[in-house]
Amino acid sequence: MTIEMRKGNCSYCGYLCGLTATVEDGRITDIAPDPTRYPYDASISSRCRRWRMNLDDLDAPDRLNYPLRRVGERGSGKFERVTWDEALDDIASRLEGLRGEYGARTLASAIAGPHTTYWPLHRFMNQFGSPNNMGIGQICWDPRIFMDAITFGWPTDPDLNDHTQCIMLWATNPAISDNSLFWSQIKERHAAGVPLVVVDCRATATARQADVHLAPWPGTDPVLALSLLNVIIEEGLFDREFVSTWCVGFSGLREHVRSYEPERAQELCGVPAENIRKAARLYATHTPGVLLSGRGIDQLGPNAEPTVRSLCLLRALTGNVDRPGACFLHQRSSFRAEAAMERPDLLSQEDRAWQLNTTPLQSYSGYNLINDYAKQFGSSLPERYLSSAHPGMVMRAMVTGEPYPIRALFVMGANPVLTYANTKLVLEALQSLDLCVVVDYRLTPTAQLADYVLPAAGALERPNCQIHGGVADFAYGGAAVIPPLHERRNDYDIMRELALRLGMGAEWPHATLEEELDYLFEPVGITFEQFANEGMFAPAPTFRKHEQRNGQGKPRGFATPSGKVELASSLIEQLGGSAYPQPISQSIPRADLATGKVVLITGARSQPFWGSSYFHNQDFRQRRPYPRVTMAPTTARALGLAEGDWARLSNKNGSAVFNVAFQDMPEGVASAEYGWWLPETPPGAPGFSGSLTSNINMLTDNGIEGCEPLIGTWTYNGIEALVEKTSRPIEFDSASSSNA
């Protein structure tokens, strides 16, 4: 027997934590955290419940091992095994036929979280000629990246270390959603006396550890942020040297925030004025400080843009920009950036013009406007993420054929039935297609609607390389531990084989993903194998890059129209928006407990699940058997509910059922988990493995007319819904029996 210890990576969240695998005669028999690679502490990985699944999932009975072709009606959940050649030959033939009939724009793609490799799919879409790639960027990541780039010229990230003197977390709950090194660092700094300010309408596990917890009413985050700016300016707590030297628009900002005094914010947000002042003083006087926001403010609909912009201004006024211990501007990738791997040059201007997107910023024209300034410093933002089509428009084009038909969809590591807004529309759209292809680990509810389901190689069976969208000079990951089992394939191999069949092989010269990753790292003089041995490429960051002198002896400045931090944004004005953050008061929802109406926030992550993933895990399900809607005890009593009761949430879009739990939050607010389905229940229509029972996206919508106008962000946090007591759904009776 031959026994080897090989390095690998977990990919059951976005961190790709290092692990060591025991391989006996080519089979993985055990895994353990690897303290020599990220997160450099075996105890951090050990506390995570997910990493062990890397071993359990290798031969799990419900893993997809072979290509499947639909044999029943669409949505029946009935498939037959076929060969890869049969599947790819037919997919290519049907794509060619649809392109001939409707044009290349008839193909759309759908992606989700960062646990697969998307640039091969994006390269394929560019080469095929379609501008209609969908994702969840509008409600996750894109608002922050855009506002950072507009304000500072490039995205920022926290530099949390011994220099940091204050930590402000806004709408993020790393105590629950983050098992990594970052939360450990936060706890260490806080224990050393560094103040922690948390902004979240829920008393989360993170908020309960804060020195100051601000709990704004859903949708009022920009008002609260502007009030913090008011205090900092009116009390003279801003960094005068940085503002006078490196910022433009300060006098206008002072006037803009003058009316947002804490007493007014208290009326609108429900946050005590004295707490607003305390938080502002802590952040402004304890510098350098880190301010990190999460998905919560990316999902405020019309109020997402003014909130994220306001947080940029908070960093700028306090001088917490590109300095150690604060938030630093990333450097461009010294390896090949994601934009280069996507090959946007392959998509013609004529094809781009057909994109289903009417937003001025999250579009090709908006992307080019922002990216042209980044190019001045030799950088380029990832194009396909930041110029993606609007899912609401794409799904409606599938159903109505307007403004033109979308007849084919390629889904890569995503589950739109659970994770995209307006589930009823998603179901109708997927059922209307001529061709739907899904690449995944399991027969998800979305895969149950496919024509072909292709088995994806897992983390231990494929090379892993996360490059953060190409906006930073770091990468992490590692090599495959073993070749893919059964007939699973990695993302690159699938897209390349399909491209070859369509006569597009010239842009896929590398036969394997490893060779392609060699090409990615070629500019820094290392091979992928060398990168994989270390598990990370992360040159030490440099700071105060704006002060560096160019060839003419002038400061480099920022990649913005003015060359400075833009407190007043000329670019947003150019796009039809406000130069200063402008809250949209009309979009702030209201509760009325007398009629059973609450304000609903959605999308809360619940360990150990991840989006719509891992509900197959019996241990996880025994720990968390039911989907929860949390609310304050006073809210529950007003609605006639007790903890443990079942409640139906509904609005004009649809309804879903949840188990009631108590949590400290403003009266009249409820928070519902997302992603729930029941893999042990029957696949296909009508229930699609229980995905319609407790799916909070039955209540959401992404119609373009109701979205944030610049980026197209739809509303997940701040939805009005009726709540009424109900009985436990019958689907959970069978689930309980299966889990017993």
Side-chain angles (χ1 to χ4, degrees), residues 382-415:
E383 181 170 307
R384 275 284 178 165
Y385 291 146
L386 298 175
S387 62
S388 58
H390 195 276
M393 295 183 67
V394 174
M395 294 291 180
R396 285 166 176 81
M398 292 177 184
V399 174
T400 68
E402 299 293 336
Y404 56 83
I406 298 292
R407 304 308 311 147
L409 177 67
F410 208 104
V411 181
M412 180 73 76
N415 192 3

Side-chain angles (χ1 to χ4, degrees), residues 436-459:
C436 180
V437 180
V438 173
V439 180
D440 215 316
Y441 296 151
R442 289 176 163 79
L443 194 66
T444 66
T446 300
Q448 293 167 24
L449 286 151
D451 294 280
Y452 283 95
V453 183
L454 306 180

